[in-house]
Amino acid sequence: MDMESPLTCLKGVGPALARKLEKLGLFCVEDLLFLLPLRYEDRTQLVKIGAIVAGSRCLVSGEVLLSETVYRGRRNLLVRISDGSGQLTLRFFHFSRQQQAQFHAGTAVTCFGEVRRGSAGFEMIHPEYRILRENQEAATADSLTPIYPATEGVQQGRLRNLTDQALRFMQETPPVELLPAHVTTRLGMPSLAAAIEYLHRPPPDADVQQLLHGRHPCQQRLAFEELLAHYLSLRRLRALAQTEDAPALTGGEPEVGRFIDDLPFELTRAQQRVIKEILADLSAPHPMMRLIQGDVGSGKTVVAAIACLKAIACGVQAAIMAPTEILAEQHWRNFSAWFRPLDIEPAWLSGSQRAAARRESLQSIADGAAKLVVGTHALFQEGVEFDRLGLVIIDEQHRFGVHQRMALRDKGVSEEGHPHQLVMTATPIPRTLAMAAYADLDTSVIDELPPGRQPVSTIAVPDSRRGEIVERVRSACASGQQAYWVCPLIEESELLDYQAAEASYQMLTEALPDLHVGLVHGRMRPAEKERGMQAFKEGLIQLLVATTVIEVGVDVPNASLMIIENAERMGLSQLHQLRGRVGRGSRQSHCVLLYKPPLGRIAKERLAVLRDTNDGFIVAQRDLELRGPGELLGTRQTGLPDYRIANLVRDAELMPQVQVTAETMRTSSDTNAVAIVRRWLGDTRKYGKV
Ligand code: ADP
Ligand code: MG
């Protein structure tokens, strides 16, 4: 038997149990060592009944005083025990005749369970219990009891037994230490075997609070290695990409220079710096893989346009993909206006396009007549053939994970190699999280807003004061401004969203008969949506009622007031994105967060963060702390891995050290790097997936 042996080589594991264990991701003996407890219970000492507190889980021992069945809707078995310091009731809803008979007066029993306050003093419902024989001492555990992640049909006792076997085996054959010795020494980390042993069977004097919060040095030791594994694997993807070919885009300087000169504004220094980084990448014969981060309104679109122009001037096609139709359409309009003087007409591709228009687009994309293509996901579906795709830009990319990034890149492969890839995110990502989630990309940050922007002033108002706010909209619009009225996202349901927006639209048209009020929501046909947006942009509509479809990217500089209904239901980053739709012109803008009281603690904190800062990076950091990385990067689709022990928020401070360690291992071609990735991320043999 070795660490890689299948679990069936352990005592008590047959094929049926092995299949259940697979559901927990357990395939071999070593996997058991890395199945870490979720929490611990303290059964190392008996607690005096007189000293127990409600809510705690503890081990007590006592003598049965009386046992009786009572009828409370159904039959309950109540067993009153005492240890001389106090009395406790054990309550059972399900019990057999034998069980009932066990508890005769005078019997000694130990039990473990959660203490709660019952009608007649403290009680435990369905405790784990053991009847003691005469003169038998109540047994206490030698170490804290680990509670493992459960899967159906595998009891905790079974998991403890299996990990016992694996731990015994580990004593003869400890797992290979893969971290460089200088790192473990410098960071004062315990050895891998010691850490594993400790976490599975912590001694009675272990600091349970520290363990529960994942702060124990043994946990940090494993978290470090896991973060390192993920980081190394992303860097390896990155290195692989670097060995691939891409068209080296040299030339085009006059076109780019002229375009910049003709812009109605000066590029900010941050924009200039990022453009320089992109142009340098594009001139290399390997695919660019760059992430641009920039707060809302920092001017990412024009940076993308310059990248496209460079590609086109060098004779390849550029494609830009946006996550929603509204945003794609807006890009299409912007790019058309910018590029028309240069005789470049972007092609359009979206899912809802008519067949004839689509055919025409596909044709021009395939024969190369279309130098630039703008669209939604439809851009990369079956049947789209490019003539010479050289640059792919993905806007608002935080909704895509690493696998989607890779897939997109592969779509564009030709004899000339892979296209260059630029991804833009509007949600700033805290540095340590970006390190962990985007280590396969180079990063540029536009950390400056165009001059003259004034921070949006934000207030939170209970929705009982809706009338006042409607009044405020009236007077703002009367003075030539425009406003958004954003309706809540209701449990991700498009239908309910739409109904809420409809209702607000009705209310507002009635309350504001002098205003032109428009409505845009996700259920409208694209052309309708487009008409609504366009009318708002041209000022024909003064108040736009919308669902969160306008969340990203929409750019109407004259809009300076935003009302967000049910703001308490939305995430911080989403609110910040929405708020970013105003404050784009030179006028002082306002954002009103309407909420339904009473606010919970987290909701209160969220709204306070927005009131206090306009800095997207601070908002993102707080969002990360409040909701965790999955939510921040966009639920589910992020492709963020499930960590077994590391937590990107809690362990963020490990990231810089992880990065340094990884880079050192890579430059010194440390062969352990591969082994670490394999240990934590598995390989195809072990997990049967690619
Ligand atoms: P985001 O980074 O949120 O995508 P946009 O690219 O939509 O921002 O830019 C927001 C607005 O700022 C647009 O109206 C754009 O034309 C304008 N803009 C971009 N760069 C500058 C600049 N350097 N000076 C002034 N305005 C700019
Ligand atoms: Mg944008």
Side-chain angles (χ1 to χ4, degrees):
M1 177 163 108
D2 63 30
M3 282 294 175
E4 308 254 308
S5 300
L7 290 171
T8 42
C9 73
L10 294 176
K11 238 188 276 136
V13 184
L17 179 57
R19 266 195 304 280
K20 287 181 188 160
L21 292 169
E22 275 183 23
K23 291 216 183 89
L24 280 173
L26 305 172
F27 297 82
C28 68
V29 178
E30 185 174 85
D31 292 337
L32 277 172
L33 297 178
F34 288 90
L35 176 76
L36 296 167
L38 293 174
R39 55 188 178 84
Y40 301 91
E41 287 174 352
D42 189 354
R43 304 178 190 213
T44 63
Q45 41 195 326
L46 284 174
V47 178
K48 286 261 168 270
I49 293 176
I52 58 180
V53 284
S56 67
R57 299 172 65 82
C58 57
L59 185 72
V60 297
S61 186
E63 211 180 275
V64 175
L65 296 180
L66 67 95
S67 117
E68 58 178 344
T69 54
V70 296
Y71 198 81
R72 293 268 180 286
R74 61 178 173 208
R75 262 167 18 112
N76 282 199
L77 170 62
L78 301 181
V79 180
R80 175 76 50 87
I81 66 170
S82 161
D83 65 355
S85 73
Q87 294 188 5
L88 172 72
T89 303
L90 317 181
R91 184 185 291 273
F92 298 88
F93 302 118
H94 310 282
F95 51 94
S96 63
R97 205 180 286 275
Q98 287 95 312
Q99 266 176 312
Q100 199 177 338
Q102 284 176 326
F103 291 114
H104 48 79
T107 308
V109 56
T110 52
C111 40
F112 181 88
E114 183 176 334
V115 178
R116 30 166 284 168
R117 212 179 289 283
S119 45
F122 287 130
E123 60 180 41
M124 280 184 186
I125 293 175
H126 278 275
E128 292 172 42
Y129 70 92
R130 172 178 289 173
I131 305 284
L132 300 179
R133 274 174 281 119
E134 208 150 331
N135 297 327
Q136 189 186 7
E137 287 284 308
T140 51
D142 297 332
S143 63
L144 294 178
T145 306
I147 305 298
Y148 291 99
T151 189
E152 214 170 301
V154 186
Q155 309 290 335
Q156 288 296 326
R158 180 50 76 63
L159 288 169
R160 263 173 247 153
N161 171 292
L162 295 178
T163 44
D164 266 338
Q165 293 186 54
L167 289 169
R168 259 200 310 280
F169 180 65
M170 181 177 76
Q171 305 203 310
E172 295 148 35
T173 338
V176 189
E177 198 59 64
L178 295 172
L179 292 183
H182 66 90
V183 174
T184 46
T185 321
R186 185 156 36 87
L187 300 180
M189 290 176 173
S191 76
L192 180 61
I196 289 175
E197 174 80 40
Y198 192 99
L199 294 178
H200 281 283
R201 301 292 178 263
D205 64 351
D207 184 338
V208 182
Q209 284 312 309
Q210 201 181 30
L211 282 171
L212 283 177
H213 291 107
R215 289 278 180 198
H216 194 278
C218 290
Q219 288 164 315
Q220 296 280 294
R221 161 71 180 76
L222 292 177
F224 185 91
E225 192 173 315
E226 184 175 34
L227 290 170
L228 182 65
H230 285 275
Y231 187 84
L232 283 167
S233 98
L234 286 176
R235 294 308 284 172
R236 195 166 58 183
L237 280 177
R238 171 91 184 79
L240 280 177
Q242 291 279 258
T243 64
E244 284 157 357
D245 294 330
L249 305 178
T250 52
E253 282 84 10
E255 287 88 340
V256 169
R258 228 176 299 129
F259 180 81
I260 293 176
D261 288 343
D262 288 349
L263 284 173
F265 47 73
E266 287 275 319
L267 293 172
T268 63
R269 254 182 328 210
Q271 285 171 318
Q272 291 174 29
R273 189 188 66 239
V274 171
I275 289 166
K276 216 157 122 198
E277 288 165 348
I278 294 170
L279 296 185
D281 283 355
L282 291 176
S283 66
H286 305 292
M288 165 171 77
M289 290 183 73
R290 186 170 285 279
L291 172 72
I292 303 187
Q293 291 201 61
D295 205 345
V296 275
S298 61
K300 293 180 290 287
T301 319
V302 69
V303 171
I306 290 167
C308 290
L309 183 57
K310 169 82 174 177
I312 295 165
C314 293
V316 296
Q317 290 170 297
I320 174 158
M321 177 172 89
T324 65
E325 296 233 345
I326 287 194
L327 192 50
E329 280 153 14
Q330 178 177 283
H331 280 328
W332 187 82
R333 221 173 315 108
N334 275 337
F335 281 68
S336 299
W338 277 330
F339 288 166
R340 194 159 299 128
L342 309 174
D343 254 347
I344 302 169
E345 183 65 34
W348 169 252
L349 207 58
S350 85
S352 58
Q353 209 168 6
R354 294 248 161 99
R358 180 179 162 81
R359 246 193 326 273
E360 197 180 313
S361 287
L362 288 177
Q363 179 59 40
S364 66
I365 295 169
D367 67 21
K371 302 289 180 225
L372 177 64
V373 190
V374 180
T376 57
H377 287 78
L379 267 181
F380 292 96
Q381 271 150 15
E382 285 301 309
V384 186
E385 298 282 344
F386 287 85
D387 176 40
R388 244 194 121 193
L389 181 61
L391 171 66
V392 175
I393 299 182
I394 308 168
D395 194 11
E396 314 300 350
Q397 93 91 34
H398 61 286
R399 284 138 207 271
F400 301 100
V402 58
H403 300 295
Q404 286 145 312
R405 292 201 284 279
M406 292 292 154
L408 277 184
R409 234 167 40 95
D410 289 342
K411 288 261 181 188
V413 226
S414 65
E415 313 87 76
E416 280 180 289
H418 287 77
H420 295 282
Q421 196 178 83
L422 186 65
V423 289
M424 307 199 288
T425 160
T427 303
I429 304 161
R431 206 173 66 92
T432 48
L433 178 57
M435 271 183 204
Y438 296 108
D440 59 322
L441 302 172
D442 295 317
T443 307
S444 297
V445 183
I446 307 182
D447 49 6
E448 184 185 358
L449 294 179
R453 293 279 168 81
Q454 297 180 45
V456 179
S457 98
T458 303
I459 52 168
V461 171
D463 64 2
S464 52
R465 288 169 54 194
R466 185 184 300 258
E468 269 168 63
I469 303 303
V470 172
E471 230 10 78
R472 187 161 173 177
V473 169
R474 187 207 306 277
S475 66
C477 292
S479 72
Q481 304 176 45
Q482 286 174 282
Y484 293 100
W485 188 288
V486 182
C487 299
L489 185 77
I490 298 174
E491 318 223 299
E492 318 263 320
S493 152
E494 247 189 22
L495 176 65
L496 291 177
D497 260 15
Y498 144 75
Q499 288 170 344
E502 279 272 285
S504 295
Y505 174 73
Q506 289 300 338
M507 181 275 285
L508 288 163
T509 36
E510 279 161 33
L512 300 166
D514 300 335
L515 294 189
H516 297 285
V517 185
L519 173 65
V520 173
H521 58 71
R523 286 216 145 189
M524 287 176 148
R525 282 209 320 272
E528 268 179 293
K529 252 189 298 195
E530 167 63 13
R531 259 201 306 282
M533 285 307 306
Q534 194 53 33
F536 187 60
K537 206 155 190 167
E538 288 167 10
L540 302 174
I541 285 173
Q542 292 150 296
L543 173 62
L544 185 68
V545 181
T547 56
T548 48
V549 292
I550 60 147
E551 178 185 345
V552 285
V554 172
D555 184 37
V556 180
N558 190 49
S560 60
L561 175 59
M562 166 159 290
I563 320 296
I564 305 177
E565 279 198 83
N566 289 89
E568 78 281 2
R569 293 199 198 152
M570 296 187 204
L572 255 184
S573 294
Q574 189 182 20
L575 287 168
H576 180 67
Q577 272 302 314
L578 280 169
R579 175 174 65 176
R581 300 308 114 218
V582 295
R584 302 188 147 236
S586 49
R587 206 198 306 253
Q588 171 66 55
S589 293
H590 298 271
C591 176
V592 179
L593 305 171
L594 278 181
Y595 64 85
K596 238 191 208 55
L599 286 180
R601 186 183 59 81
I602 295 202
K604 217 178 257 168
E605 256 184 88
R606 269 210 291 261
L607 299 187
V609 171
L610 285 169
R611 222 173 31 219
D612 297 345
T613 184
N614 266 278
D615 182 330
F617 281 88
I618 298 176
V619 171
Q621 180 60 41
R622 297 293 292 130
D623 201 17
L624 179 62
E625 289 158 12
L626 290 170
R627 289 194 306 166
E631 294 292 319
L632 178 62
L633 295 178
T635 35
R636 290 182 289 276
Q637 307 108 310
T638 57
L640 255 195
D642 282 332
Y643 292 89
R644 292 197 230 171
I645 179 158
N647 173 312
L648 288 181
V649 180
R650 185 190 64 208
D651 304 324
E653 68 212 32
L654 296 176
M655 267 329 283
Q657 198 55 48
V658 164
Q659 189 179 36
V660 171
T661 306
E663 295 311 327
T664 322
M665 291 182 86
R666 285 163 45 79
T667 44
S668 61
S669 309
D670 193 329
T671 48
N672 283 350
V674 177
I676 289 177
V677 173
R678 208 175 122 202
R679 170 180 285 164
W680 289 91
L681 304 182
D683 58 21
T684 48
R685 182 179 54 77
K686 202 154 103 185
Y687 292 106
K689 57 182 182 204
V690 277

